[in-house]
Amino acid sequence: MWYLIYSEDVADSLALRQQARPAHLARLQALADEGRLLVAGPNPAIDAEDPGAAGFSGSTVIAEFDSLAAAQAWADADPYVAAGVYASVTIKPFKKVLP
C-alpha cells in the first residue's frame, strides 16, 4: 500500500538539511530503485522554486510499504530525523487515483 509521509521542519533547518541531505537522498533513491517511490520532495518555505536562504518548511514522500508500521519504521530511521531537521512527522495511508 502507498503511504504519505509528511514532515514539518524545525525553524531554520536549512543547515541541518544540507548536512544530512546525501544520506536522506540515498534512502529515497533505494526506494525508487525498488519501484516503491511515487514522489518525494521538499516544501519550499516561500513561494519559489529555489527558496535560497529561506529554506524549506518540510518534506513530502509517497512510497509503498507493507504496512503503516513499516512506513513508520522507515520514517523514524530517516537521517533528517537523526539530524533534528523535523519537528513532526505524520504518516497516513494514501490511495492513488490519478493519473
Side-chain angles (χ1 to χ4, degrees), residues 7-11 13-14 17 55-59 80 84-88:
S7 306
E8 293 188 68
D9 284 20
V10 298
S13 63
L14 188 57
R17 275 181 168 270
F56 300 92
S57 63
S59 299
Y80 280 179
V85 172
Y86 295 147
S88 66

Side-chain angles (χ1 to χ4, degrees), residues 1-8 60-65 67-69 71-72 75 89-96:
M1 176 166 204
W2 295 107
Y3 291 89
L4 165 72
I5 302 171
Y6 176 71
S7 306
E8 293 188 68
T60 300
V61 174
I62 300 176
E64 190 173 29
F65 295 94
S67 66
L68 181 60
Q72 183 70 59
V89 178
T90 302
I91 302 171
K92 296 181 179 186
F94 179 82
K95 183 174 178 176
K96 183 178 183 276

Side-chain angles (χ1 to χ4, degrees), residues 20-97:
R21 188 169 191 260
H24 172 77
L25 291 179
R27 294 180 78 238
L28 291 169
Q29 187 61 56
L31 284 179
D33 292 347
E34 296 169 7
R36 297 172 44 209
L37 184 64
L38 182 64
V39 67
N43 304 109
I46 59 172
D47 189 13
E49 181 72 24
D50 179 359
F56 300 92
S57 63
S59 299
T60 300
V61 174
I62 300 176
E64 190 173 29
F65 295 94
D66 290 335
S67 66
L68 181 60
Q72 183 70 59
W74 185 89
D76 288 347
D78 192 304
Y80 280 179
V81 171
V85 172
Y86 295 147
S88 66
V89 178
T90 302
I91 302 171
K92 296 181 179 186
F94 179 82
K95 183 174 178 176
K96 183 178 183 276
V97 176

